[in-house]
Amino acid sequence: MVNYDSNSLLNTFLIWMLKTDRSSLKPPFRADYYSSYCSYTIQTMHRWKEMETRLALPAGKVTIEQLCKSGNSGVMPSSLPQLPITVEERFLELPDSHQIPVDEMGNPLVSPYSSYVANTGNVQTLHSSPSGSSSVHQYPPRLPHERHTNANNTAINAGNSLSTYSSHKGAFQASTNNFSKDPVEVTWSLDSVQGILNSDDDITGSNPIQSSSVMITHDLSNQKEWWNNIENEDWKELLSDMTAVESQPKVVYPAAQTSQNISVLHSQTYQSVPCHSGDLTVVTSPLSTTTAAAVKPRMRWTPELHECFVNAVNQLGGGEKATPKGVLKLMKVEGLTIYHVKSHLQKYRTAHYSSDSSEGTSEKKATQSEEFPALDLKKGFDLTEALRLQMEVQKRLHEQLEIQRNLQLRIEEQGKYLQIMFEKQCKSTMDKLHVPSTAEEPLSASSDLPTHMTIRTDSSIDPKKAEESFKQVVTKRKMPEVDPSSPRDTDAIISTTSSSAKCSRAEDDEL
Amino acid sequence: MVATGIRTSDLTARARVKGFCSRELGPAEINSVLRDMKFGKRLKEQIEETLPAWRDEFLSYKDLKQLVKLIPEAQPCSKVEAEFIELLNFEIDKLNAFFVGREEEFIIRQRHLQEMVKRVAEMYQARGREEEYAKEMSRIRKEIVNLHGEMVLLENYSSINYIGLAKILKKYDKRSGRLLRLLFIEKILKQPFFTTDLISKLVKECESMIDLVFPSESDHQQLKPEDKRKLVGEEQSIFRSTVVALVTMQEMRKGSSTYGQFSLPPLSLPDNLLQSLQPTPIPIP
């Protein structure tokens, strides 16, 4: 069951704040993401409402229904100045942004949060909200039983929750890019953050962070002091996150192994880490600059990094003799922790020291054969030939998977592109309140589209309707490509990609 | 052509459920049932046919689907939806963890095998100890081919989980009327488990290693068809898994009732490689 413990969320944020190297923080907040955050807050408030209901708190609180409703009906953020900004929003930071929410919302960004904090009972000082968000201050008072949340749990939650923010950053950027105008969509895009946060609350079982995090000894009473300090600081600093490498895939998830993890960010190219240089670093998220211990994200090894590892191991006398500590020191890779090295060394030993020991029956071979007894020697069988056949099938599968993957990427790209186009048209339709003649052109410009299959915009003032027709169009658009009887279609794969190209070109022209 | 690993009795039962007539099914009918097979079932089969250690690591498609079914229509701020998203994120994390762990392992093994090849060449071939060389090389070849197979299966793992996620998001969007799919897919495309470039590179390196260590083509003899089928029939082997993966891919892309803009076109396999591997339609235990 989801644990909507607001206290743990608070602690998450506080711990993050304490351990983040401020100098690495960047100004991230963009005004156009603001609507997203607002909607997201609505969701959070809804959860608080549930908590309230459960605990039968006094009346006089903000009516969540009102806020929910207003949020979902597309009211712009400016009409909701009293939304408490939650911990989660801090982590929705995106790169390359230079505005802070303060512009949009004024100080409420600060004060609602502080009221939240106050309500959770950790911070005694209430900072007044310039925009008069008095209703917010009545927000769910801190519940007595929550105060005694196990420090370990909260820390674990913190560790767990933190990591997932980075992985969803990309999502949010995407969402706001596409859906910043549509509150319903935005609402649900942000819900995932909440989901993440809460899901991680439950995944504490085998979390190694418990044992090793230095930040877990966070004292709740220090929060007050910290909060006071925060108040005076530039919010730009605070509102940052793993921003610099937003475009790179992040490996972020609850640690299931005993190794401690940090996030190592990888772009599509691999980080080269020559050991001899000594100062080349594995890219890490800003979260892990100070204490890697409390950070969840997992590391992703590369061949180059492994090479570095092997060199270090050999220097220390081989896999059996080398110690994680020694290897770590020799490797001199910034951001690498002993836990990474330890688990990697373990895997290394498994791979090496069973097969190296003897030439006959090796342990590794035996385990492997048990797991996947591929092509046991059968009588009358030529092993090499069997291997060749196996190889052939595998190569074929690999080929097809690559093709499939490229297709999928292209399809998604195209889908997103069309969606943006559609939204633009939708917006222009609504703006002009008449049938724009340009609406039909982009889609019909593609030679794959029969001319009658265009969006009918005369009836599409209603976005939902337009969306339906859009979906119809793209569905129909796709179908002819694969229909073998279609004269335009010889090879399904080729036509798919060529039509994507055509469509993109056509739409580019339109733009 | 019947997919391996699927009992004809099962197919017949399924066909009955779908309203086909109750007599025994011929191959064509079986294929049509296969075509209508839902992704969930295909995924289940893939999981059954996959390497044992991997069985728990696939997407929990069924659970996600059940959650989607529970979503109340056109209601804002539903708790079930929140749970769905939560599970979704958990699953993505799980996929990432497994994928990255395996990837790490493959990096280690690949490098190890490269070392071994060199070492064996030095120790035996260079010193003229042909027999030992041949023996060691044979063992190494097998390990390289298996490593290659596992890596390709990992790619397949990535692909099939991605497809599952795409499908479940489509269902979610349909059910809830929201537009979560595009948003989530964008995020998923960047996830470690889907960014298979490194694995792809390793696979290619592996293939070139294979070319080095395998004897030249000229002196090989083709395997007899029954031998080929025996290979496929072997349970829980890498080979079998890859064959099943290929067949499943082919079947999944043959066409479905819910064809949309995000569906993949049919698979085109130029030669009859798969045909030569397909067993005759008899139940495979």
Side-chain angles (χ1 to χ4, degrees):
Chain A
M1 202 49 206
V2 174
N3 171 21
Y4 294 123
D5 182 4
S6 55
N7 184 46
S8 65
L9 291 176
L10 167 65
N11 289 332
T12 302
F13 177 57
L14 294 173
I15 290 170
W16 174 78
M17 285 307 310
L18 282 165
K19 51 175 278 304
T20 306
D21 177 12
R22 297 290 176 76
S23 58
S24 72
L25 299 181
K26 290 171 162 193
F29 206 80
R30 275 167 67 164
D32 52 338
Y33 298 123
Y34 177 72
S35 60
S36 323
Y37 300 157
C38 270
S39 306
Y40 171 68
T41 307
I42 296 167
Q43 299 306 312
T44 314
M45 291 168 70
H46 185 68
R47 296 211 164 75
W48 287 348
K49 176 189 164 55
E50 283 176 344
M51 265 169 45
E52 280 178 35
T53 326
R54 237 179 23 220
L55 301 154
L57 294 168
K61 53 190 184 289
V62 176
T63 49
I64 310 279
E65 290 87 348
Q66 288 172 2
L67 285 165
C68 268
K69 270 189 217 148
S70 55
N72 286 338
S73 65
V75 175
M76 286 311 288
S78 53
S79 69
L80 301 167
Q82 299 163 359
L83 296 177
I85 305 301
T86 61
V87 172
E88 298 88 309
E89 287 177 318
R90 297 287 169 268
F91 292 90
L92 296 179
E93 302 342 305
L94 308 146
D96 307 321
S97 35
H98 304 288
Q99 300 177 28
I100 50 177
V102 180
D103 295 338
E104 300 291 319
M105 214 169 152
N107 292 323
L109 245 194
V110 177
S111 49
Y113 186 86
S114 60
S115 72
Y116 162 74
V117 170
N119 287 328
T120 57
N122 291 326
V123 177
Q124 301 311 308
T125 312
L126 251 191
H127 307 283
S128 61
S129 159
S131 72
S133 54
S134 52
S135 55
V136 179
H137 290 206
Q138 295 169 27
Y139 232 82
R142 186 75 141 75
L143 306 159
H145 70 273
E146 286 174 2
R147 196 179 315 227
H148 305 298
T149 307
N150 186 325
N152 273 345
N153 279 339
T154 53
I156 293 158
N157 295 338
N160 281 335
S161 308
L162 279 173
S163 61
T164 54
Y165 297 135
S166 53
S167 69
H168 297 282
K169 188 169 45 87
F172 290 100
Q173 185 170 47
S175 77
T176 49
N177 283 338
N178 291 336
F179 309 118
S180 53
K181 299 267 191 303
D182 188 338
V184 175
E185 291 153 5
V186 163
T187 298
W188 288 104
S189 71
L190 289 162
D191 209 32
S192 60
V193 170
Q194 179 74 30
I196 297 158
L197 290 172
N198 292 314
S199 70
D200 284 332
D201 284 349
D202 296 330
I203 305 162
T204 60
S206 57
N207 196 320
I209 292 175
Q210 297 180 39
S211 51
S212 53
S213 171
V214 294
M215 300 311 295
I216 290 179
T217 52
H218 175 75
D219 182 1
L220 292 184
S221 64
N222 288 337
Q223 291 174 12
K224 169 184 168 183
E225 193 186 353
W226 167 82
W227 183 248
N228 286 336
N229 292 337
I230 290 257
E231 263 286 70
N232 301 326
E233 293 192 39
D234 185 3
W235 274 96
K236 283 188 184 182
E237 274 193 12
L238 298 174
L239 298 175
S240 101
D241 205 322
M242 24 294 180
T243 60
V245 288
E246 170 272 336
S247 59
Q248 298 170 351
K250 285 201 197 202
V251 185
V252 168
Y253 35 76
Q257 300 173 1
T258 52
S259 58
Q260 192 54 259
N261 301 309
I262 56 168
S263 72
V264 172
L265 300 165
H266 268 262
S267 56
Q268 296 294 326
T269 60
Y270 312 117
Q271 296 294 328
S272 107
V273 187
C275 283
H276 59 268
S277 74
D279 54 359
L280 254 188
T281 66
V282 174
V283 178
T284 62
S285 85
L287 276 187
S288 63
T289 42
T290 49
T291 52
V295 184
K296 285 217 37 85
R298 186 184 297 260
M299 151 155 206
R300 201 172 184 185
W301 282 82
T302 66
E304 293 77 15
L305 195 56
H306 179 64
E307 190 68 37
C308 182
F309 171 88
V310 171
N311 290 336
V313 163
N314 290 335
Q315 277 183 55
L316 293 172
E320 296 277 328
K321 286 191 188 160
T323 64
K325 196 172 177 187
V327 171
L328 181 65
K329 275 204 178 128
L330 269 181
M331 282 177 74
K332 288 193 215 113
V333 171
E334 200 177 303
L336 196 61
T337 70
I338 194 161
Y339 300 94
H340 295 141
V341 176
K342 203 166 169 185
S343 85
H344 196 73
L345 185 62
Q346 214 168 2
K347 290 187 170 168
Y348 183 82
R349 284 180 179 155
T350 313
H352 279 65
Y353 290 96
S354 27
S355 53
D356 278 0
S357 52
S358 61
E359 286 166 4
T361 52
S362 66
E363 203 183 290
K364 173 200 170 202
K365 233 177 40 146
T367 15
Q368 258 206 339
S369 310
E370 271 161 31
E371 264 200 18
F372 355 106
L375 302 174
D376 288 350
L377 278 165
K378 295 189 188 223
K379 286 189 182 145
F381 240 92
D382 183 352
L383 178 63
T384 310
E385 282 324 300
L387 287 176
R388 249 191 248 274
L389 175 65
Q390 182 179 348
M391 201 56 204
E392 211 183 316
V393 172
Q394 286 167 191
K395 272 186 178 170
R396 178 55 44 78
L397 179 58
H398 169 71
E399 238 171 61
Q400 291 303 323
L401 284 168
E402 297 233 285
I403 294 173
Q404 183 165 287
R405 183 160 180 270
N406 287 332
L407 267 180
Q408 283 163 340
L409 283 170
R410 233 184 262 245
I411 287 174
E412 290 300 333
E413 211 177 277
Q414 186 182 5
K416 180 176 129 197
Y417 193 78
L418 288 173
Q419 179 77 11
I420 293 173
M421 289 298 302
F422 162 73
E423 277 174 359
K424 284 200 166 97
Q425 294 185 16
C426 226
K427 184 188 168 220
S428 67
T429 307
M430 289 174 75
D431 286 350
K432 294 171 192 170
L433 289 178
H434 70 280
V435 181
S437 55
T438 55
E440 303 185 359
E441 290 172 50
L443 292 168
S444 57
S446 159
S447 62
D448 279 29
L449 244 203
T451 48
H452 64 274
M453 288 188 197
T454 57
I455 292 181
R456 266 172 276 121
T457 51
D458 46 2
S459 57
S460 59
I461 304 273
D462 175 13
K464 185 130 193 175
K465 250 175 141 188
E467 184 185 298
E468 286 307 317
S469 51
F470 166 73
K471 283 181 178 163
Q472 278 173 24
V473 170
V474 292
T475 308
K476 285 175 189 165
R477 213 190 125 272
K478 180 73 178 167
M479 290 290 278
E481 294 167 15
V482 193
D483 179 6
S485 62
S486 159
R488 288 186 291 273
D489 193 30
T490 46
D491 180 326
I493 295 174
I494 294 174
S495 78
T496 306
T497 52
S498 69
S499 71
S500 331
K502 277 186 207 152
C503 205
S504 308
R505 275 202 300 276
E507 282 154 7
D508 277 335
D509 292 343
E510 274 309 312
L511 287 178
Chain B
M1 174 172 69
V2 180
T4 56
I6 302 171
R7 295 187 185 81
T8 47
S9 55
D10 283 351
L11 291 175
T12 313
R14 273 199 276 265
R16 278 204 204 97
V17 166
K18 283 191 166 289
F20 284 77
C21 61
S22 57
R23 61 178 170 82
E24 274 298 315
L25 294 181
E29 282 154 320
I30 288 176
N31 275 339
S32 112
V33 171
L34 282 177
R35 226 188 318 267
D36 292 343
M37 253 169 62
K38 304 226 164 142
F39 175 80
K41 288 242 155 64
R42 286 203 209 280
L43 176 63
K44 190 161 157 240
E45 264 152 20
Q46 274 265 279
I47 291 177
E48 279 167 15
E49 295 294 344
T50 195
L51 310 172
W54 296 29
R55 292 219 177 110
D56 293 328
E57 305 291 342
F58 282 79
L59 184 71
S60 308
Y61 185 76
K62 204 170 182 182
D63 297 338
L64 285 164
K65 199 164 131 185
Q66 279 169 354
L67 270 181
V68 170
K69 287 199 173 131
L70 289 177
I71 290 176
E73 301 231 12
Q75 244 192 59
C77 315
S78 134
K79 205 165 181 193
V80 179
E81 294 187 57
E83 276 184 43
F84 171 81
I85 291 176
E86 187 189 320
L87 179 59
L88 202 61
N89 287 310
F90 176 75
E91 288 293 308
I92 292 173
D93 290 348
K94 176 178 101 180
L95 298 175
N96 282 335
F98 178 73
F99 186 90
V100 169
R102 283 288 155 170
E103 190 186 56
E104 185 184 347
E105 196 188 298
F106 293 154
I107 291 175
I108 296 175
R109 274 164 70 183
Q110 174 118 319
R111 196 189 177 285
H112 174 60
L113 284 173
Q114 282 166 343
E115 251 178 48
M116 289 288 286
V117 168
K118 276 190 223 150
R119 220 181 328 153
V120 165
E122 280 170 23
M123 271 190 10
Y124 300 123
Q125 190 182 45
R127 299 179 195 176
R129 290 150 73 175
E130 289 296 333
E131 204 182 297
E132 288 167 25
Y133 176 72
K135 183 171 143 212
E136 282 306 306
M137 263 336 241
S138 163
R139 188 164 71 91
I140 289 176
R141 263 184 230 129
K142 181 170 166 180
E143 287 191 22
I144 297 176
V145 172
N146 284 346
L147 175 65
H148 181 271
E150 279 185 66
M151 290 199 284
V152 174
L153 282 173
L154 190 67
E155 286 181 322
N156 181 57
Y157 167 91
S158 164
S159 168
I160 214 165
N161 286 315
Y162 172 82
I163 292 175
L165 283 169
K167 283 188 186 280
I168 203 73
L169 284 168
K170 185 173 164 187
K171 287 196 202 297
Y172 172 89
D173 277 5
K174 194 169 171 190
R175 177 85 187 175
S176 67
R178 307 192 198 280
L179 287 176
L180 191 68
R181 187 188 179 280
L182 267 178
L183 160 72
F184 245 88
I185 285 286
E186 269 200 64
K187 164 189 153 183
I188 288 169
L189 289 177
K190 297 187 190 134
Q191 293 298 307
F193 84 87
F194 194 71
T195 50
T196 52
D197 302 282
L198 175 55
I199 289 285
S200 194
K201 179 173 158 221
L202 289 176
V203 166
K204 295 200 172 73
E205 277 178 22
C206 205
E207 285 171 9
S208 40
M209 218 192 334
I210 293 273
D211 292 335
L212 284 178
V213 302
F214 264 68
S216 55
E217 293 264 341
S218 55
D219 54 352
H220 86 277
Q221 36 176 343
Q222 274 287 352
L223 281 176
K224 290 174 267 191
E226 58 265 25
D227 289 338
K228 284 189 188 174
R229 284 198 276 271
K230 260 193 235 162
L231 282 175
V232 183
E234 225 180 83
E235 298 233 0
Q236 297 178 13
S237 67
I238 294 177
F239 188 36
R240 182 178 168 82
S241 299
T242 50
V243 171
V244 172
L246 260 179
V247 172
T248 303
M249 194 197 292
Q250 193 167 44
E251 293 301 322
M252 277 205 288
R253 286 170 56 171
K254 256 197 181 132
S256 81
S257 51
T258 53
Y259 207 74
Q261 86 224 59
F262 293 109
S263 306
L264 289 166
L267 187 66
S268 57
L269 289 180
D271 60 13
N272 64 344
L273 173 67
L274 272 193
Q275 274 85 330
S276 69
L277 294 169
Q278 296 293 327
T280 46
I282 42 170
I284 299 172

